[in-house]
Amino acid sequence: MQIHRAKTKLLLLTGLSILLTGCNISDWYNGYYAERTAIIKAHKERDAYFNAESPEMKELRKKNHDYCSDLASKPENRVVKRGYENRVFNQPMYVGCMEERGTPTFGTYESRQAEKRREERRARGEIVPGG
């Protein structure tokens, strides 16, 4: 009778330890939850950027988007990429076109803001140039 009870306890303890080591709460929090939160934050920032534009700017952005996406999609402007026979959309050309026509993408805006923050930190002495 004691052997049967010991086997049950050992089986229960082994199963519980396997289950708990496989599902670590910190892995879930640092992985899935943090990634989901970062995505939601990025979407909110992007939406705020586009919603802050005037109606005229939104109309200009729409026209520029149509023009620039057509330009970057043309067969002669597509970028060669391994595994794609017909080449792929020319994203750098699209971004440059949008910026030249006065409606920069959110990515361009974000990189400009990051550069401003770096310059401010450099001016305060938090970042040493060249180091």
Side-chain angles (χ1 to χ4, degrees), residues 13-65:
L13 184 63
T14 304
L16 198 59
S17 66
I18 290 172
L19 180 69
L20 290 177
T21 56
C23 304
N24 193 346
I25 192 71
S26 68
D27 291 342
W28 175 82
Y29 183 82
N30 291 332
Y32 172 77
Y33 178 75
E35 181 179 325
R36 193 176 114 235
T37 304
I39 290 170
I40 290 170
K41 181 183 174 195
H43 282 283
K44 284 181 182 178
E45 289 173 353
R46 185 194 66 211
D47 292 342
Y49 171 72
F50 288 121
N51 290 336
E53 292 181 338
S54 66
E56 297 84 16
M57 188 68 155
K58 288 180 182 180
E59 187 62 32
L60 178 62
R61 179 176 297 282
K62 185 178 177 188
K63 288 179 184 175
N64 288 346
H65 170 74

Side-chain angles (χ1 to χ4, degrees), residues 13-130:
L13 184 63
T14 304
L16 198 59
S17 66
I18 290 172
L19 180 69
L20 290 177
T21 56
C23 304
N24 193 346
I25 192 71
S26 68
D27 291 342
W28 175 82
Y29 183 82
N30 291 332
Y32 172 77
Y33 178 75
E35 181 179 325
R36 193 176 114 235
T37 304
I39 290 170
I40 290 170
K41 181 183 174 195
H43 282 283
K44 284 181 182 178
E45 289 173 353
R46 185 194 66 211
D47 292 342
Y49 171 72
F50 288 121
N51 290 336
E53 292 181 338
S54 66
E56 297 84 16
M57 188 68 155
K58 288 180 182 180
E59 187 62 32
L60 178 62
R61 179 176 297 282
K62 185 178 177 188
K63 288 179 184 175
N64 288 346
H65 170 74
D66 292 341
Y67 174 78
C68 293
S69 61
D70 286 343
L71 183 67
S73 296
K74 287 185 178 179
E76 63 269 14
N77 293 334
R78 291 185 182 172
V79 178
V80 177
K81 196 167 191 178
R82 180 188 285 172
Y84 294 92
E85 286 180 19
N86 299 327
R87 304 191 276 176
V88 296
F89 183 80
N90 192 338
Q91 185 69 23
M93 179 181 271
Y94 172 79
V95 170
C97 176
M98 290 292 282
E99 192 170 352
E100 286 172 12
R101 297 175 69 85
T103 52
T105 62
F106 179 67
T108 304
Y109 167 77
E110 233 178 359
S111 65
R112 285 181 185 166
Q113 295 302 315
E115 185 57 37
K116 283 182 184 177
R117 285 191 296 273
R118 275 193 296 275
E119 288 299 323
E120 289 171 0
R121 290 182 65 204
R122 200 170 283 124
R124 288 193 305 257
E126 294 176 14
I127 299 176
V128 178

